[in-house]
Amino acid sequence: MDFDPSTPAPAAGNTEEAGHRIPDHIGSGGRTGLLTLPQLAEVLPYLLGFFPDDSVVLVRTASGDGGIAGALRADLPPEDAEPHFFAAAFAESVLPEEAGTEALTGRLPEIESAVLLLCRDPGKDEPPRAVRRRLRPLAEALRRACEARGVAVAEVGGVSAGRCWSFFCPLPDCCPPDGNRVAHPGTSTSPIAAAAVYEGYRVPERRSRLELRFAPLAAPALEAQEAALRKAGADRSAAAADRSHSEGGGVESVGLGLRLLHRFVASPPKALADDRADAHDDVLVAPDEAARLIVGLQNEPMRRCAADWVGGSITLGAGRLWRALARRCVGPYAHLAVPLLALAGWTSWLSGDLTGSRIASSLALRRDPGYPFAVLVHQVCNRGLDPAPFLRSWPQPPHGDGTGGGAAPP
C-alpha cells in the first residue's frame, strides 16, 4: 500500500527524548516474523506491486506469528531534509492520533509492531555502505517517531543495489558493511515470491520505470504540445472574460472528452502494459485536442463529469486517455497533470490495477499533497476497498452529453 505524507507535522510527544527499546537482533541469520530481513527485502516488490526505489516502507507484522499483515510506502525525503521533521510527518500519516483522520490516511488499523525498510539506489561509483551512512540518521528518526506512537519497531533495514542490512545490528559477521545479498528478481526462494510466481504474477518492475508512463512527451512533440497548451489557455481566459461563452465552454469540453473517450475505446492497443501501448495511444489525440481537454479538466464540474466515465471497456479506455493527457502536460504546464493523474488512479483502481492506481495517485500527491481526489484514491486503494460495489451503483456509461448523475469528487 502506498501513501504520501503531506507537509511535515510534529509527532506526538517529544520524539527527541522518547526512549525506544533496542530491537532483538534480526540480521541475516535472524528472522523478521516468518522471514529473514533479506527475504523481506525480496518480497517487497510483490507486496507493493513494484520495486520501491527511493522509498521508506513500513511493513506491519501481525501479532502472534509475526507474519506480514500489510505495507505502506512513502517517498524518501530529499538528501538535505531534516530527518526528524520527515519522520514525524511519516508517523502522523501512518498513525494519526485523531480517529477521524484515519479515513484520509488509509492507515492500517491497530499497528502494534512493524519493520521499516529504507530503499535507495547508490550514486555513481558509490558503495552501499555509503548509502547506509547517509540514511542512518533518518532510520533512527523514523524508529523514534513510530515508537513514540506505541508501535514496536522490530527492525530498521536498508536496501540498496541488491544488498540489504540492519541499521542497528552491531555484528559485522552477520551484517557486513556492504550488507547481505538480496536475490535477483525471479530467483527469490521466499514463500511469498514463490506463491506469486505460482499464481502467474509477473516479476514487478521498478517504481521509476512505471512512473515513466506518465512522463511528459519529449522533443519534437513537446514543442507542438506546449504551443497548443499556450493557445488553449489564452482561449479559455478570453472565454472566461466573456460570460456569454462560459457555459458553452463547459459543453464543448464534455463533447470533446466524449469524442476522445470513444476513440480510445474503439482503438485498444494490442498490449496494455508496455511502451508500444503508450505510443499507440499518443497518436490517437492531436496536440490541440489534448490541450483543450487538459485546460477544460481544470474546471471542477468537468472533472466530476469525467470521473463518471466508467464501466466495462469504458473504464480502461478512460484510464488510457487520462494517462495520455498527463503525458501532454509539458514544460510550464506540468502542474495541469494533477487532475489527470488522479483520474488515472481512479480508473486503475476501478479496473483492479492497484499498482497503477498507487503510481498515478502518488504522482498526483507529489505535485499537490492536498489534492482531494488524489487523497480519496489513496484512501480506497490503501484500505483495500473492493471496487465492485462502486461499479454496481454507478451511472450507466456515458451517452448523449455524458453528464449523467452520481458525480464523483473532483
Side-chain angles (χ1 to χ4, degrees):
M1 300 177 189
D2 191 27
F3 78 104
D4 285 86
S6 57
T7 55
N14 188 334
T15 57
E16 288 294 325
E17 298 179 1
H20 58 80
R21 68 178 183 85
I22 302 300
D24 295 334
H25 171 60
I26 310 179
S28 60
R31 304 184 72 83
T32 302
L34 303 178
L35 300 175
T36 66
L37 192 56
Q39 286 176 327
L40 182 57
E42 291 166 20
V43 303
L44 273 187
Y46 296 95
L47 290 174
L48 298 169
F50 49 83
F51 285 90
D53 42 350
D54 292 327
S55 300
V56 52
V57 183
L58 182 146
V59 180
R60 180 193 176 209
T61 53
S63 57
D65 64 4
I68 295 173
L72 291 159
R73 189 208 68 87
D75 291 347
L76 279 175
E79 292 281 354
D80 58 351
E82 169 54 52
H84 297 288
F85 284 121
F86 174 83
F90 181 90
E92 170 65 21
S93 297
V94 179
L95 310 159
E97 285 192 307
E98 299 179 10
T101 63
E102 177 177 338
L104 294 179
T105 61
R107 74 179 177 100
L108 297 173
E110 299 179 2
I111 301 178
E112 297 178 355
S113 62
V115 175
L116 290 165
L117 285 173
L118 282 60
C119 310
R120 169 155 282 165
D121 285 339
K124 185 178 180 180
D125 300 325
E126 183 182 33
R129 70 178 67 186
V131 178
R132 184 176 185 171
R133 284 195 303 270
R134 287 192 287 113
L135 291 180
R136 184 180 173 91
L138 179 60
E140 177 67 19
L142 285 166
R143 185 173 69 172
R144 287 177 178 268
C146 290
E147 292 193 338
R149 289 180 176 262
V151 176
V153 178
E155 179 63 287
V156 185
V159 182
S160 182
R163 316 289 293 186
C164 84
W165 60 84
S166 165
F167 279 104
F168 305 112
C169 173
L171 305 177
D173 290 341
C174 179
C175 293
D178 284 327
N180 294 287
R181 188 180 68 86
V182 177
H184 291 296
T187 66
S188 174
T189 59
S190 69
I192 293 179
V197 173
Y198 180 80
E199 293 293 332
Y201 286 90
R202 296 176 57 186
V203 176
E205 295 190 68
R206 298 186 71 86
R207 181 173 64 97
S208 55
R209 177 70 183 83
L210 295 173
E211 288 180 352
L212 288 177
R213 302 197 72 185
F214 298 92
L217 297 178
L222 182 151
E223 289 82 359
Q225 189 59 63
E226 187 171 331
L229 285 166
R230 187 182 308 113
K231 182 179 185 302
D235 291 346
R236 177 54 61 93
S237 297
D242 184 353
R243 295 188 177 182
S244 64
H245 289 85
S246 59
E247 184 175 346
V251 173
E252 181 202 11
S253 294
V254 171
L256 173 60
L258 285 174
R259 289 195 298 274
L260 290 177
L261 172 62
H262 288 298
R263 188 185 303 171
F264 272 65
V265 172
S267 180
K270 293 182 179 179
L272 290 174
D274 59 21
D275 295 338
R276 291 171 297 175
D278 295 336
H280 169 92
D281 289 344
D282 284 336
V283 301
L284 293 181
V285 55
D288 63 313
E289 293 176 318
R292 285 156 46 209
L293 187 52
I294 289 169
V295 172
L297 283 165
Q298 306 309 305
N299 179 269
E300 180 179 328
M302 178 59 193
R303 294 196 300 269
R304 289 179 177 271
C305 175
D308 281 345
W309 297 348
V310 296
S313 61
I314 288 179
T315 306
L316 293 175
R320 290 165 45 217
L321 174 60
W322 307 140
R323 189 165 57 238
L325 292 179
R327 293 193 292 269
R328 301 297 185 107
C329 297
V330 298
Y333 303 98
H335 64 285
L336 300 182
V338 172
L340 298 161
L341 292 166
L343 285 167
W346 172 247
T347 52
S348 292
W349 175 71
L350 290 174
S351 62
D353 179 11
L354 296 183
T355 297
S357 181
R358 291 169 184 145
I359 293 292
S361 54
S362 177
L363 287 171
L365 289 172
R366 193 180 301 169
R367 290 167 171 80
D368 184 354
Y371 190 69
F373 197 16
V375 173
L376 171 64
V377 173
H378 264 294
Q379 174 193 344
V380 298
C381 188
N382 286 351
R383 292 176 64 84
L385 299 183
D386 183 1
F390 288 79
L391 290 172
R392 284 196 295 268
S393 63
W394 217 250
Q396 292 297 310
H399 56 83
D401 68 355
T403 54

